[in-house]
Amino acid sequence: MDVARRRGAHAALATTALLASALALSSAATAAPGKPGEPRYSAGAAGAGDPYFPRAGNGGIDVQHYDLDLRYTPPAPAPAPLEGRLEAVATIDLTATQDLDQFNLDLRGLTATSVTVNGKPASFTQPGDLAVERPEGSTPQPNELVITPRPKLKEGRSAEVVIEYGGTTRQPVDIEGVPYGWVTTRDGAMVASEPEGSATWFPVSDHPTDKATFTFDVTVPKGLVAVANGDLTGNATTGNWTTWSWDAPDLMAPYLATATVGNFELTEYTTKAGVPIIDAVDRDIAGTNRTTTNATLALTGKMMEFFADVYGEYPFIAYGSIVDDDSLGYALETQTRSLFSRRATEGTAAHELAHSWVGNAVSPQRWADIWLNEGWATYSEWLWAEHRGRATAQTAFENVMAIPADDEFWDVVVADPGPTGLFLAAIYDRGAATVHALRAEIGEKAFSRLTHEWVDRYDDATATTADFEALAEEVSGQELTAFFDVWLHTPGKPTAW
Ligand code: TRP
Ligand code: ZN
């Protein structure tokens, strides 16, 4: 596969140290004394409590909906700098989950200019000390928009928060230094935010535990197309600008949102099973990249049927692929609209589509649980290859197990790889091997109950590795502690399980 994100082994960070700093962060609340039953106002925490990314997401709020109104000016032709301009209004519906005199949203590299809460102006800051380093070791960047609503928000109260913001866009990078978030390209932007890069393009509670619905109005220079999640609800041109409107009514983790801008040709159709498809292929893709992409996209309906057999009915209102002509060299399972650089190959397309069930409908509760996404999507890729008469899943498993025991590939705790280890090859391939070994361990009947029940039970929500282990034991009636210890919780090549 040509997913350049898959790395060699890195030293995993010491999780205990990270846990300690996350705990220190969450005790920052300033509770005021009050009578029983009286509101006790305090500040929401600056993070959702994920030890890998202590500032990602926010405490004290639960977002229901993001309405993003973006106006984007892409860079001028080279040799002008690769910088775009974003001017935006985010209208966010949220509920207070505690009595709040203050709460945060995540926003990085862009500046808020106005904030109202329930129509009333609120004071706000983007403090320099609430920062993150992207990449690790670089200059910290402010990551929090701190909002002080007046009147204060009682627990259970819903609020409409309107934020005007904007700034210059470049190519933000993740903790490892790889471009993500609002990635400015010469002809637009490629927007792919895993794991916590959504804060580079909208104010957000940027953690999978806070899923929400989304609507988008993306205004771009006439001739360009902005492609977001869900259904295309319209496009309207006024003067030299076109506004593309999208509606994504399925609950979505923020890292799966996109609003990719480019020179796209849209193709719309409905699969035999009745799922509306919207594909967006960059008009500049030609030659073998175009041939490969066309052949792959023609398989979408068949792939959806195949994975519906494995996991149950396709979980969202629409699907489609964005294939952008850029040199970033990666793919992401942006919800209902998978994103590919340069070309879509069959294996990668199967992988990203399978994420609809494993990753998107059911999302990781903590980033440490990432193998639940990548191990399962890779295993899905194996199943699709076998279905197409290529290598069997057993052969793919044997290929992984042929990696020598002293290879650094095996130096990873799959269920706790550390924040810089999320996309190591082992998360994908050893994760998939874990699934294959589990299938042999529990048998076909239990395995099929597991795949279906997993998606059924945790649809629209998040789940942990412990939830997964418990379900595998439940559907099989087997005790699997030793099995999961070897495969998921111990570094080193599994030899007996
Ligand atoms: N989840 C992606 C995959 O396996 C890889 C990925 C991680 C990624 N972070 C990203 C892709 C950021 C694009 C941008 O297909
Ligand atoms: Zn993946």
Side-chain angles (χ1 to χ4, degrees), residues 81 169 171 239 251 264 302 345 390 460 463:
T169 68
Q171 296 206 335
L251 285 177
F264 292 115
K302 286 205 171 101
T345 61
R390 301 202 176 100
D460 282 340

Side-chain angles (χ1 to χ4, degrees), residues 41-358:
Y41 292 102
S42 61
D50 192 320
Y52 284 15
F53 301 103
R55 296 234 151 91
N58 302 98
I61 59 167
D62 176 13
V63 175
Q64 274 80 53
H65 185 76
Y66 295 91
D67 178 61
L68 303 179
D69 191 344
L70 314 174
R71 174 182 287 259
Y72 181 58
T73 311
L82 194 60
E83 290 177 356
R85 174 144 195 98
L86 202 55
E87 294 154 273
V89 183
T91 303
I92 301 174
D93 299 323
L94 56 80
T95 304
T97 59
Q98 68 189 57
D99 297 325
L100 285 174
D101 55 19
Q102 185 178 293
F103 64 91
N104 292 9
L105 292 163
D106 304 324
L107 185 64
R108 189 185 336 144
L110 298 172
T111 306
T113 52
S114 151
V115 178
T116 65
V117 178
N118 292 323
K120 304 230 165 42
S123 60
F124 58 96
T125 54
Q126 295 179 264
D129 58 328
L130 296 179
V132 296
E133 294 159 43
R134 299 289 177 272
E136 238 188 334
S138 65
T139 310
Q141 271 187 295
N143 193 67
E144 304 291 313
L145 173 62
V146 180
I147 298 173
T148 307
R150 290 296 178 269
K152 300 173 186 178
L153 297 176
K154 269 195 199 135
E155 179 179 349
R157 174 87 154 86
S158 58
E160 185 187 72
V161 183
V162 180
I163 298 152
E164 295 178 6
Y165 67 100
T168 302
T169 68
R170 296 183 179 88
Q171 296 206 335
V173 294
D174 69 8
I175 192 168
E176 295 184 73
V178 179
Y180 81 151
W182 189 278
V183 181
T184 306
T185 59
R186 195 52 76 178
D187 70 353
M190 185 169 189
V191 184
S193 304
E194 189 180 25
E196 32 66 274
S198 286
T200 68
W201 61 286
F202 61 98
V204 53
S205 181
D206 202 356
H207 196 266
T209 47
D210 198 352
K211 293 189 180 189
T213 56
F214 285 70
T215 44
F216 306 83
D217 286 301
V218 189
T219 302
V220 293
K222 193 168 122 185
L224 289 180
V225 180
V227 187
N229 314 83
D231 266 347
L232 178 61
T233 50
N235 68 305
T237 299
T238 316
N240 290 324
W241 295 88
T242 303
T243 302
W244 296 87
S245 301
W246 297 85
D247 179 24
D250 298 304
L251 285 177
M252 175 159 77
Y255 76 93
L256 297 169
T258 192
T260 291
V261 178
N263 184 21
F264 292 115
E265 177 179 356
L266 296 181
T267 306
E268 303 188 36
Y269 65 98
T270 302
T271 67
K272 284 204 187 100
V275 180
I277 307 290
I278 305 178
D279 289 327
V281 178
D282 196 310
R283 292 175 193 274
D284 300 329
I285 295 173
T288 55
N289 284 343
R290 169 61 75 148
T291 321
T292 302
T293 296
N294 288 351
T296 296
L297 298 192
L299 291 168
T300 299
K302 286 205 171 101
M303 283 186 189
M304 290 181 88
E305 269 171 49
F306 178 74
F307 290 124
D309 277 347
V310 176
Y311 296 108
E313 207 185 326
Y314 177 72
F316 304 121
I317 54 127
Y319 190 68
S321 302
I322 305 171
V323 190
D324 201 354
D325 176 32
D326 62 63
S327 53
L328 295 161
Y330 53 45
L332 187 68
E333 63 271 23
T334 30
Q335 188 159 301
T336 69
R337 195 121 309 111
S338 294
L339 182 57
F340 305 85
S341 291
R342 267 194 307 259
R343 61 173 174 270
T345 61
E346 191 177 322
T348 308
H351 178 109
E352 306 310 338
L353 172 59
H355 272 308
S356 303
W357 290 266
V358 284

